[in-house]
Amino acid sequence: IGTWLMWIDADAVIMDPTRRLEDLVDDSVDFVIAEDRSSSPINTGVFFLRNCRAALDLVRRAYAKVQYLRHPLWEQPAIAEAMSECSGLRTRIVSRRLFNSFFDEYEPGDFVVHFAGCSHELKLAGVNIIVDSIRRGKRPSTARQRKTRIVS
């Protein structure tokens, strides 16, 4: 397998550090990204990008789309639009549960939990619960258990 870059947002946490990144990518694609549940077809909170010309072209095109600088979905529409412009880019859009589970859908065993769309306070509370669980040597809870503890 070639050289890959993994992007992970500051509001996403790796929950299963035993998962091998090599198992999430392969030589048949250049860009692996998860679906979103909003109006955007993709969620850019976690993705994998191969070190190749096609992927570099994607990044350059997305970076040049300054009209999205103040967009509520940040870089997502820029990358989605750039994807449609890159004819040589081999893309795989996967289920979020593969490596980008949202806070309210996370289950033990998922690779990453992503607090996308949450308030800053909820993001911080969620990360603190995860860190505290790890310090106590316990497995972090399911989405339903976490939501109850944060809200109450």
Side-chain angles (χ1 to χ4, degrees):
I1 291 185
T3 305
W4 286 82
L5 173 132
M6 177 185 177
W7 172 269
I8 182 166
D9 277 358
D11 64 349
V13 180
I14 294 175
M15 299 300 293
D16 182 1
T18 64
R19 178 95 40 104
R20 290 173 27 95
L21 300 180
E22 295 87 346
D23 295 338
L24 300 172
V25 298
D26 65 61
D27 286 331
S28 68
V29 295
D30 305 314
F31 185 48
V32 183
I33 191 161
E35 64 193 358
D36 198 19
R37 63 178 165 207
S38 72
S39 59
S40 176
I42 56 170
N43 183 279
T44 57
V46 182
F47 61 83
F48 296 88
L49 198 62
R50 177 190 301 281
N51 183 12
C52 66
R53 287 181 197 252
L56 182 59
D57 184 41
L58 171 74
V59 171
R60 285 183 175 148
R61 288 174 185 267
Y63 189 76
K65 296 186 180 307
V66 296
Q67 68 270 28
Y68 296 114
L69 286 175
R70 303 220 190 295
H71 192 281
L73 295 178
W74 301 81
E75 73 282 351
Q76 283 179 197
I79 290 178
E81 189 174 297
M83 285 169 55
S84 69
E85 298 169 357
C86 295
S87 60
L89 183 72
R90 300 172 301 165
T91 300
R92 180 175 298 145
I93 300 174
V94 299
S95 165
R96 283 186 309 280
R97 294 291 305 279
L98 184 62
F99 57 73
N100 191 8
S101 296
F102 288 171
F103 162 74
D104 59 349
E105 60 193 10
Y106 169 80
E107 293 296 328
D110 288 354
F111 180 49
V112 169
V113 61
H114 185 193
F115 293 89
C118 298
S119 68
H120 294 299
E121 293 78 19
L122 183 60
K123 290 177 186 191
L124 184 58
V127 170
N128 282 334
I129 287 170
I130 291 166
V131 169
D132 289 344
S133 295
I134 292 168
R135 283 187 183 143
R136 290 190 316 267
K138 293 185 176 180
R139 185 165 243 206
S141 57
T142 65
R144 178 174 291 156
Q145 293 166 330
R146 239 186 349 276
K147 230 188 298 188
T148 301
R149 287 194 326 205
I150 291 172
V151 172
S152 54

